[in-house]
Amino acid sequence: MVCDAKGGAGMFHEVAAGDRRALGRAITLVEGGAAGAREAALALDWPERARVIALTGPPGVGKSELANRLAASLVETGRRVAVLAVDPSSPETGGALLGDRVRFTGDSTAVFFRSMAARDGEAGLAPEVPAVLRLLAAGGAERILLETAGVGQGDDSVLRLADLGIAVTAAGLGDAVQAAKAGLFEVADFVVVNQADRPGGEAMAASFRALRPGPVFLTSAREGTGVEDLRAAAEAELEARPPLDRSGMAEGHGSKAGTPGPAIGLHHVGIAVKDGSRAAELWRALLGLRETGRYRVDEFGVLAFFLAPDGERTPAGGLLELLEPTTADSPVSGYLERRGEGLHHVCFEVEDIHATLRALEARGVRLVDREPRRGAGGHLVAFIHPASAGGVLLELKQA
């Protein structure tokens, strides 16, 4: 293997030629911290055909079995498939605790499988994961299944690296409201209730469907049921959306969210609170802010209090919005459960929210809402995923 720190094509030209052994050696170089290896891998072109599907969720829900079944189903459709399983780190060696031969039971000649240690990466993801994903894509994989170690699942960082995010839970692990409070199930594209052969699977799936607008699937990876429906839906969704913009992922910090048009201005900053009236009094005492409006938004399950300095015209930019949940399954309830009171989102006004959303999606920006919804005061609003906005939940509001 030729080492050339000036570019990935020089260092890993055998990988781009489809040499599986060279691909394995290249990943080893990246994992081992060989000089220039990570930079060379990240310099490789990302083929448009390559898409990443992330499977994440709490331990013990059958993610490995599901990844095996899903990989086999994709191979049957003619796809070239790779699986990257991020395992817990061994306390003795620092390497992958479980290892690929233990985890993978599929056809190793049809699927390229690799396990790697989570080390101390964010949300159980090793910092080398973006570079390894790029190597897998350059090596010819059309579908890359990224399976997490099952730790830190309240953090949705894994979704920043994926074209499609699947949150996996299992029957018998509590109700859907408790699972939704973990945060991941709010923002994943698909939710899968696995081990559906156990009692309670149907009821849990029904609860998720009532809590979120996205698709919910019932599967039994052990028996193979429901996997074909999941695979078909995943493929249809990937075909319908543009590839994730990976031009800004050299360090794995998420997509490079372009700006299709200038924002009119900052409209408000949203703060999650347990008691809106008490919080409004706090801000009045601190800075003399007055309440300018109060709206109950049933679609989001919140009571929104708007505040502004005395003398400022309303509605105007720079308002403060206090969000008090009105239902147990409100996204704000889940936020308060995870993080407590504090900054929830930032909102900007735009002239045409429909055009803005189309332009952002075309650039691969991850959207929470593809179509706007009615927010406080009946205005059209939509949210951009924190993965594409520097870790901040971003709201757009049509002027």
Side-chain angles (χ1 to χ4, degrees), residues 79-92:
R79 295 289 190 189
R80 299 182 65 182
V81 180
V83 178
L84 178 61
V86 184
D87 290 328
S89 301
S90 167
E92 297 294 331

Side-chain angles (χ1 to χ4, degrees), residues 203-226:
M204 191 172 192
S207 297
F208 269 116
R209 293 186 180 108
L211 289 173
R212 67 186 304 274
V216 179
F217 298 87
L218 265 172
T219 64
S220 173
R222 183 174 302 175
E223 298 180 355
T225 57

Side-chain angles (χ1 to χ4, degrees), residues 109-195:
T109 64
V111 178
F112 182 91
F113 184 93
R114 182 73 177 223
S115 62
M116 62 187 299
R119 306 186 193 278
D120 296 322
E122 182 183 13
L125 289 177
E128 296 81 15
V129 166
V132 174
L133 290 176
R134 196 166 286 266
L135 283 169
L136 294 171
E142 297 172 295
R143 296 293 180 264
I144 303 170
L145 302 182
L146 173 60
E147 179 202 339
T148 68
V151 294
Q153 299 307 327
D155 193 315
D156 57 16
S157 301
V158 62
L159 302 182
R160 305 179 192 180
L161 303 176
D163 296 273
L164 185 73
I166 301 177
V168 185
T169 186
L173 292 186
D175 61 25
V177 172
Q178 287 300 117
K181 288 181 179 179
L184 180 67
F185 294 91
E186 298 173 6
V187 295
D189 298 297
F190 292 176
V191 166
V192 169
V193 179
N194 195 30
Q195 302 173 1

Side-chain angles (χ1 to χ4, degrees), residues 289-303:
L289 301 186
R290 75 186 195 282
E291 184 176 329
T292 59
R294 186 181 299 195
Y295 305 91
R296 187 182 182 92
V297 188
D298 291 332
E299 184 170 359
F300 293 95
V302 297
L303 184 61

Side-chain angles (χ1 to χ4, degrees), residues 49 51 53 70 73-74 77 79 142-143 164 190 228-241:
R49 68 180 182 276
R51 311 295 284 273
I53 301 174
L70 191 55
S73 179
L74 287 165
T77 67
R79 295 289 190 189
E142 297 172 295
R143 296 293 180 264
L164 185 73
F190 292 176
E228 283 299 308
D229 291 340
L230 176 62
R231 191 270 310 160
E235 287 288 271
E237 184 67 19
L238 289 174
E239 291 296 326
R241 64 171 62 175

Side-chain angles (χ1 to χ4, degrees), residues 20 64-76 79-83 100-114 143 145:
R20 286 168 65 99
S64 297
E65 287 182 312
L66 186 61
N68 288 344
R69 292 280 191 176
L70 191 55
S73 179
L74 287 165
V75 167
E76 289 178 1
R79 295 289 190 189
R80 299 182 65 182
V81 180
V83 178
D100 54 358
R101 287 183 174 83
V102 176
R103 296 291 293 280
F104 187 60
T105 59
D107 184 356
S108 60
T109 64
V111 178
F112 182 91
F113 184 93
R114 182 73 177 223
R143 296 293 180 264
L145 302 182

